[in-house]
Amino acid sequence: MSEPEAEKWQLRLYVAGKSPKSLAAFANLTKLCEEHLADRYTIEVIDLIEHPQLAAGDQIVAIPTLVRKLPEPLRRIVGDLSNTERTLIGLQLRPALSPD
């Protein structure tokens, strides 16, 4: 049985050029991946200023948006990813706390 930690993660970050939010999202994502997914991830950065047609494929409506392509299921997180806890839960790297 393979453990989830052994899976390769394929992440796609949609940004708008080098805006402050885009740069922050990339920096926050890189830091998070190094801390929690070292050597098990790839990040593809899609600049929607250069390639606006690529937004339709992943149904991007806001930027920056992070899309987890693999492992499935596909997940989307909008924002600069500065809230590490929220991002970890969104990526399912950490379970959400129950209300109890």
Side-chain angles (χ1 to χ4, degrees), residues 37-48:
L37 298 169
D39 300 326
R40 297 183 293 125
Y41 69 93
T42 59
I43 300 172
E44 180 183 10
V45 178
I46 306 290
D47 186 345
L48 292 180

Side-chain angles (χ1 to χ4, degrees), residues 62-83:
I63 46 176
T65 295
L66 172 65
V67 176
R68 185 185 80 180
K69 305 290 279 186
L70 291 174
E72 293 183 345
L74 186 141
R75 305 277 298 182
R76 290 183 190 85
I77 301 171
V78 176
D80 66 4
L81 311 176
S82 60
N83 185 329

